[in-house]
Amino acid sequence: MSTLISYREEVHSVCQLIGVLENDITKSISWALCNCPEFTRRIVKDLLGVDIGIEDVSIYFQKYDNEKGITDIEITDNHNFYLIIEAKLGWQLPFESQLRLYSEREDFRRNPAKKKAIVSMSECSEIYANSYLPLKEVNGIPILHLSWQRIYDIACESRADSRNAEKLLLEQLKEYLGGIMTMQAKD
């Protein structure tokens, strides 16, 4: 098999070709959510404790609102759940102002979903995030955290119940996240 080298680094995952910036990581995770139903189902279950049917789920990457900014990822079935995910690079967490802005988005507030949450997503562990997130809830919406390590673990857990093409994508995502997690400075 051939070896692909990009910017002096060997490429092991198609996700690496997208890049390693915040939006690049978010794109890769969004793609996996869209193409691996078991992965999406387990992410929602992990965050909200809700079992969902995957057929009516919509995933939005960088959804724009004139007054309330751009969200990184939104996932909803418009009935059972609605998640807004704010991604950060490395060991960063969102600012209180971002969380407040997202909680006020008209389409989020008016959506009839039974369970809603705003999710911080970064390399921070859940323990660290639970100590340092600026809010635990805003406007009645819980603020949760999802670490890249947890996403990696959920990708592992999802493989057994996924189809072959999905397993391949999950392996690519794991390879990518594994590389990113080891290159970030912990301070």
Side-chain angles (χ1 to χ4, degrees):
M1 182 185 277
S2 300
T3 301
L4 176 59
I5 307 293
S6 177
Y7 300 101
R8 299 186 180 144
E9 297 288 326
E10 188 172 345
V11 176
H12 300 282
S13 165
V14 71
C15 298
Q16 286 174 271
L17 296 173
I18 297 169
V20 294
L21 300 177
E22 182 179 300
N23 284 342
D24 305 330
I25 297 165
T26 307
K27 282 179 200 172
S28 297
I29 292 169
S30 296
W31 187 250
L33 288 165
C34 180
N35 289 284
C36 303
E38 183 61 21
F39 177 63
T40 304
R41 190 186 71 70
R42 287 178 186 248
I43 291 279
V44 173
K45 176 79 171 177
D46 191 74
L47 289 167
L48 296 176
V50 174
D51 279 315
I52 62 164
I54 205 70
E55 51 281 341
D56 294 324
V57 172
S58 296
I59 300 163
Y60 301 91
F61 171 72
Q62 293 193 333
K63 190 173 178 188
Y64 178 75
D65 180 303
N66 266 350
E67 298 171 8
K68 304 299 179 186
I70 300 172
T71 56
D72 290 316
I73 303 173
E74 294 186 32
I75 312 169
T76 185
D77 67 358
N78 295 311
H79 178 67
N80 296 302
F81 77 98
Y82 198 136
L83 295 170
I84 292 179
I85 300 176
E86 172 57 29
K88 292 294 182 191
L89 192 58
W91 280 69
Q92 297 181 52
L93 293 167
F95 297 110
E96 180 178 336
S97 58
Q98 273 184 303
L99 300 172
R100 287 194 183 284
L101 213 56
Y102 294 162
S103 74
E104 297 166 356
R105 290 173 72 96
E106 192 71 24
D107 52 348
F108 184 62
R109 285 187 320 108
R110 290 184 182 232
N111 189 287
K114 294 174 187 145
K115 289 210 171 190
K116 297 179 184 179
I118 299 172
V119 180
S120 161
M121 180 177 73
S122 70
E123 191 167 356
C124 296
S125 69
E126 279 76 8
I127 293 169
Y128 179 88
N130 287 336
S131 296
Y132 293 102
L133 270 168
L135 300 167
K136 301 290 184 215
E137 69 122 70
V138 60
N139 294 324
I141 305 296
I143 308 299
L144 308 173
H145 183 73
L146 185 61
S147 69
W148 293 345
Q149 180 63 55
R150 185 66 191 127
I151 295 169
Y152 181 97
D153 293 343
I154 292 171
C156 291
E157 296 162 8
S158 301
R159 285 194 80 245
D161 296 319
S162 297
R163 294 179 294 195
N164 287 337
E166 297 161 6
K167 287 178 185 180
L168 179 61
L169 179 52
L170 291 170
E171 282 303 313
Q172 296 270 318
L173 181 65
K174 286 171 38 189
E175 177 85 26
Y176 177 66
L177 289 174
I180 290 170
M181 287 187 290
T182 60
M183 67 185 257
Q184 297 294 318
K186 302 295 187 239
D187 59 354

